[in-house]
Amino acid sequence: MVQLAPAAAMDEVTFRSDTVLSDVHLYNPNHRHLMVRLNSVGQPVFLSQFKLLWSQDSWTDSGAKGGDHGDVHTKEPPSAETGSTGSPPRSGHTQEEDDVLGEEAQGSPHDIIRIEHTMATPLEDVGKQVWRGALLLADYILFRQDLFRGCTALELGAGTGLASIIAATVARTVYCTDVGADLLAMCQRNIALNSHLAAAGGGVVKVKELDWLKDDLCTDPEVPFSWSQEEISDLYDHTTILFAAEVFYDDDLTDAVFKTLSRLAHRLKNACTAILSVEKRLNFTLRHLDVTCEAYDHFRSCLRALEQLADGKLRFVVEPVEASFPQLLVYERIQQLELWKIIAEPVT
């Protein structure tokens, strides 16, 4: 976990110990990452491509049979050296972007997800990177299309929006939420870059602010990415799926995520299912003088506390999801990646 030194030239990258670099960018790079701009805080923003390993027929055939997971056909995952591939030049990019990305173009637009992201950030900006847990969650969404098909879903801590983009290929409406105007603007641009994927399935993605530390949604029309009363009504009346990936790295934030999950589940009119993706990261700590996984341990304790919650209104059933489903995106599916399912049901 490293960070760019600000004085380093772009071709002479050095790192600091107080910053974080996603393993997706470190170990599974494109042949090149195209820097497209600087964001509002001066961080370089890159454009990368993630190839979906489904056959062309599966795009039109998937979803034809409810609950039939075999209708998503996969190819053999490429080796780590293969990396991600680009898509054919399309409108909405500069000629320079199209020239660079087009050199690696292989496949149709429905095979490619284009994501703007940063490469190395302070811990508070890790949502601007792509993490393996988001790719695992995206794989699960594609595998469990029956669960997401036609639903209204909400992603907590969406970051770059990759999982929301995938969800919108089968869901009716996806509320893609996070905090921070710069991050949400990047997320909105990624939604636009991949609008053809959602449009093919009739899905809609709405980028919205949702602060886990606040009880209510922002409805101030002067605030970017605020909620309208119609959207809030739609959220509470129709949402049946909540999902989140790689948001369990700080104990206070993990507490806030679980508090938000519980609050939303109690406000929704329908029973809901939450899908959580987490990576069990091992770190050496001076406090223990040993290798520990404190953030993961706290996540597990929050799962247990949620399962034991007894308020007479809802009960939460927590169960692990075996990560044996097909891999349709290029990343290293390591043993430390986990998925958890939480089912919130009314107490009868």
Side-chain angles (χ1 to χ4, degrees), residues 50-72:
F50 296 86
K51 185 172 179 61
L52 285 162
L53 305 177
W54 53 23
S55 71
Q56 185 63 37
D57 290 341
S58 71
W59 177 256
T60 55
D61 292 344
S62 63
K65 300 178 181 178
D68 182 1
H69 310 311
D71 57 4
V72 179

Side-chain angles (χ1 to χ4, degrees), residues 32-331:
R32 63 172 61 108
H33 291 287
L34 173 65
M35 178 180 165
V36 292
R37 60 186 173 87
L38 295 176
N39 63 19
S40 64
V41 294
Q43 298 165 336
V45 175
F46 299 85
L47 179 64
S48 295
Q49 305 80 44
F50 296 86
K51 185 172 179 61
L52 285 162
L53 305 177
W54 53 23
S55 71
Q56 185 63 37
D57 290 341
S58 71
W59 177 256
T60 55
D61 292 344
S62 63
K65 300 178 181 178
D68 182 1
H69 310 311
D71 57 4
V72 179
H73 309 293
T74 64
K75 303 174 186 176
E76 282 295 314
S79 64
E81 288 78 13
T82 302
S84 308
T85 59
S87 63
R90 294 194 304 276
S91 61
H93 301 89
T94 65
Q95 185 61 48
E96 180 186 11
E97 290 174 14
D98 285 338
D99 287 346
V100 174
L101 297 177
E103 290 176 11
E104 297 174 357
Q106 302 174 8
S108 74
H110 288 154
D111 295 330
I112 302 296
I113 302 174
R114 289 186 170 191
I115 297 293
E116 283 194 0
H117 60 90
T118 56
M119 291 285 285
T121 64
L123 186 62
E124 62 267 21
D125 281 336
V126 292
K128 297 176 182 177
Q129 300 187 52
V130 178
W131 297 90
R132 281 186 295 219
L135 297 169
L136 178 71
L137 180 56
D139 268 341
Y140 183 74
I141 293 169
L142 291 169
F143 174 64
R144 287 300 311 271
Q145 293 186 34
D146 61 305
L147 183 64
F148 284 81
R149 185 175 299 114
C151 78
T152 297
L154 181 143
E155 181 176 12
L156 293 166
T160 62
L162 188 148
S164 284
I165 290 167
I166 292 296
T169 63
V170 284
R172 179 180 66 89
T173 302
V174 179
Y175 290 102
C176 177
T177 72
D178 215 311
V179 293
D182 188 68
L183 175 58
L184 290 169
M186 175 190 286
C187 189
Q188 182 69 71
R189 178 157 171 79
N190 285 333
I191 301 304
L193 286 171
N194 297 280
S195 59
H196 59 288
L197 294 175
V204 175
V205 184
K206 297 186 177 185
V207 178
K208 296 295 173 184
E209 176 187 295
L210 197 159
D211 190 334
W212 307 333
L213 302 178
K214 297 179 181 178
D215 289 340
D216 297 315
L217 302 173
C218 177
T219 58
D220 184 348
E222 299 297 320
V223 176
F225 307 104
S226 61
W227 297 74
S228 69
Q229 290 300 332
E230 292 78 12
E231 288 166 338
I232 293 176
S233 295
D234 178 61
L235 172 71
Y236 292 145
D237 289 348
H238 300 113
T239 299
T240 55
I241 301 290
L242 307 174
F243 59 104
E246 297 276 36
V247 296
F248 309 105
Y249 53 88
D250 174 89
D251 288 357
D252 291 337
L253 289 178
T254 296
D255 290 340
V257 173
F258 277 91
K259 181 180 178 182
T260 301
L261 279 172
S262 177
R263 182 171 65 249
L264 286 171
H266 279 85
R267 292 179 180 178
L268 299 179
K269 287 190 175 181
N270 300 301
C272 72
T273 299
I275 308 297
L276 308 179
S277 172
V278 62
E279 182 173 334
K280 183 178 181 180
R281 291 186 171 86
L282 303 174
N283 297 288
F284 180 84
T285 64
L286 292 176
R287 182 155 62 94
H288 296 93
L289 293 179
D290 198 2
V291 175
T292 64
C293 45
E294 291 183 280
Y296 174 80
D297 290 342
H298 188 73
F299 165 76
R300 291 294 302 273
S301 71
C302 288
L303 283 177
R304 290 190 292 271
L306 186 65
E307 193 168 30
Q308 294 166 6
L309 182 66
D311 62 4
K313 297 178 181 178
L314 289 179
R315 71 183 187 102
F316 295 90
V317 180
V318 178
E319 55 189 49
V321 177
E322 185 178 354
S324 58
F325 43 88
Q327 182 169 341
L328 301 181
L329 287 154
V330 181
Y331 63 100

